[in-house]
Amino acid sequence: MSDSVSDCTNGAAEPRTALTEAEVEALVRGICFKTGPPRTVGVEVEWLVHELHAPQLPVTPERLEAAYAALRDVPLASPLTVEPGGQLELSSPPAASLMECVHTVSADLAAVRATLREQELALAGIGTDPWHPPRRFLHEPRYDAMEACLDRTGPAGRAMMCTSASVQVCLDAGYEEPGPLGHGRRWWLSHTLGAVLMAAFANSPLLGGVPTGWRSTRQLLWMEIGAGRAGGPAMDGDPRAAWARHVLDAPVMCVRRAEGAWEVPDRLTFRQWTRTGEPTREDLDYHLTTLFPPVRPRGHLELRMIDAQPGDDGWIVPLAVTTALFEDPEAAEFAYRAVKPLAERARPLPAPHNPLWMDAARNALTDPELHETAVACFAAALRALPRLGADDAVLEAVTGYRDRYVLKGRTPADDQLDRLRGTDARAHGKDLRP
């Protein structure tokens, strides 16, 4: 949500006054998949911010302003940004290894938590806010336009903007050549294994303190926003061509203005804009930041389907498992074969609007096939992590998560639901912290 205007096309060519349709396709095809040996890993961790001793109470905008002003003076290795509803996001720099990424983000999070604690505030790793309705903290032209655009599809957009949080794993696109680490295989795997990851780490069964019937309500919100804004491209053919078509056929969220409110066009695709107007290179860069598919190519692959996780270090488990299943050739080949039977359930629509993704979001690991696949993939990840240099703490965290949740067909969403059972679901004073 806090994407900068610079995106995957930035730096590919000198800006021009306008782009043609062919130029847009060439730019997107040429830059959004930067292939080569997978060398780096990153993670973006989002957090809800709540009162330290009473998370059910809303934090006033004034207190958030004061806390975030204090955070600006904290030296961090990772950029720290604020989401529309006041959520915080740490985006790690590209790391040469899993452990480098873990150490960098862990140190930054410790510093952020210490500063927030002085303000009597804390972070919560939950996929959707279980206490409060959407309330926008940031009032900027981008988010005014986004809200106006997303309101056309219903209330899901505001909830997504202001009450959701995730763990996003970022991996290199892979080799140009085929094979377990090839970019074509990794693109396919990210959209099929992605459903398993989303199911295994589901942690958002509530909105407003009430169960929604979905273990990943956060994913439900993305689906309700619509395929043009939050869907992926068709999985047939070359990934570059498919993504370029998707970018051109996606609706334009807004047309920026130097002064005043930004225009929010209705049903104008970027392809139509190139034929009827004069979108610039900067407009294309910005358009790319307004697309939220479950896997977004930005030179690297940004896997966006994992809910925020409970505990100070809960984010490490999806980072480690995902990295192992993509970066270790043996584990990547195993994961490819393990998830291949799920591909039939993914038809005919692209993720996340197909039956596989919907079942994963609604049922998580109570789905027998997703459960079986998750158990197998966690086993493969645990075999691979020592080869990637993971230390004992990471291995213990992944093993602990597997034993507590995956083997039992549970996720952190089930913990939230268990804490809610036996109490009045309409009471907002209960402590739902993980």
Side-chain angles (χ1 to χ4, degrees):
M1 290 302 306
S2 57
D3 300 297
S4 64
V5 174
S6 298
D7 206 80
C8 68
T9 68
N10 199 2
E14 291 298 319
R16 287 184 47 185
T17 56
L19 291 174
T20 66
E21 184 178 335
E23 287 172 327
V24 170
E25 184 171 2
L27 282 168
V28 175
R29 285 174 62 108
I31 303 301
C32 283
F33 290 85
K34 296 179 180 177
T35 53
R39 291 195 178 99
T40 58
V41 60
V43 68
E44 300 174 17
V45 285
E46 295 174 341
W47 304 86
L48 304 177
V49 179
H50 63 80
E51 294 282 356
L52 180 61
H53 301 296
Q56 71 277 6
L57 298 179
V59 183
T60 66
E62 293 75 19
R63 292 195 62 215
L64 286 178
E65 288 279 9
Y68 297 166
L71 284 171
R72 285 195 285 271
D73 296 327
V74 177
L76 301 171
S78 307
L80 180 67
T81 52
V82 181
E83 299 296 302
Q87 312 97 306
L88 285 180
E89 178 180 275
L90 268 175
S91 303
S92 74
S97 69
L98 168 65
M99 292 312 305
E100 179 184 321
C101 184
V102 168
H103 291 150
T104 297
V105 176
S106 295
D108 285 345
L109 278 172
V112 169
R113 286 194 176 95
T115 301
L116 290 177
R117 198 175 300 116
E118 294 172 357
Q119 307 287 328
E120 296 291 310
L121 298 174
L123 300 176
I126 311 175
T128 52
D129 190 330
W131 309 289
H132 310 123
R135 181 194 65 177
R136 194 142 61 88
F137 173 71
L138 296 180
H139 294 276
E140 302 171 0
R142 170 182 172 88
Y143 297 121
D144 292 344
M146 180 180 292
E147 184 176 278
C149 176
L150 297 181
D151 277 351
R152 292 170 176 164
T153 58
R158 292 194 185 203
M160 176 275 294
M161 291 174 65
C162 300
T163 66
S164 69
S166 67
V167 176
Q168 299 176 15
V169 180
C170 300
L171 302 167
D172 287 332
Y175 287 100
E176 187 68 25
E177 299 80 11
L181 303 185
H183 80 283
R185 173 75 68 84
R186 285 160 78 88
W187 179 246
W188 183 90
L189 184 62
S190 64
H191 286 84
T192 311
L193 177 62
V196 180
L197 295 172
M198 186 251 291
F201 295 107
N203 186 32
S204 52
L206 308 174
L207 274 182
V210 178
T212 64
W214 296 67
R215 282 174 170 79
S216 180
T217 301
R218 175 182 165 273
Q219 188 61 57
L220 171 64
L221 296 175
W222 284 115
M223 287 189 287
E224 290 183 338
I225 288 170
R229 182 70 52 206
M235 293 304 295
D236 54 336
D238 173 61
R240 290 186 177 96
W243 179 244
R245 287 195 304 270
H246 185 75
V247 168
L248 278 163
D249 292 331
V252 174
M253 175 176 284
C254 55
V255 178
R256 295 171 294 161
R257 304 297 186 201
E259 296 180 1
W262 294 0
E263 180 185 349
V264 182
D266 189 15
R267 299 178 183 176
L268 174 70
T269 68
F270 204 88
R271 189 187 302 277
Q272 291 169 330
W273 196 10
T274 64
R275 296 174 179 177
T276 61
E278 294 186 342
T280 66
R281 170 64 180 283
E282 291 78 8
D283 291 323
L284 174 60
D285 290 339
Y286 193 83
H287 175 63
L288 288 164
T289 73
T290 69
L291 303 181
F292 309 112
V295 182
R296 185 162 62 174
R298 303 184 65 184
H300 58 274
L301 299 182
E302 183 183 80
L303 279 68
R304 304 169 52 86
M305 72 289 295
I306 299 170
D307 285 350
Q309 293 297 291
D312 288 354
D313 300 324
W315 58 275
I316 294 176
V317 178
L319 170 64
V321 170
T322 305
T323 302
L325 295 175
F326 278 84
E327 300 300 284
D328 181 82
E330 182 178 328
E333 181 65 24
F334 181 92
Y336 171 72
R337 296 180 183 279
V339 303
K340 207 168 184 180
L342 296 174
E344 287 296 322
R345 292 173 61 180
R347 297 174 181 172
L349 300 174
H353 296 88
N354 59 50
L356 174 63
W357 280 71
M358 294 179 71
D359 289 344
R362 182 186 291 109
N363 303 320
L365 298 188
T366 64
D367 181 291
E369 193 174 16
L370 286 167
H371 178 220
E372 179 182 0
T373 306
V375 170
C377 287
F378 264 71
L382 282 166
R383 293 192 297 269
L385 282 168
R387 298 193 290 267
L388 297 179
D391 65 13
D392 289 343
V394 169
L395 290 171
E396 290 171 6
V398 175
T399 301
Y401 190 96
R402 179 201 62 182
D403 294 348
R404 178 176 178 179
Y405 294 117
V406 179
L407 293 181
K408 298 177 181 178
R410 291 175 57 86
T411 75
D414 294 297
D415 288 350
Q416 288 194 53
L417 293 170
D418 284 350
R419 284 191 289 269
L420 194 67
R421 291 187 182 104
T423 61
D424 185 354
R426 293 168 296 178
H428 290 262
K430 61 181 66 65
D431 187 347
L432 296 171
R433 283 176 292 185

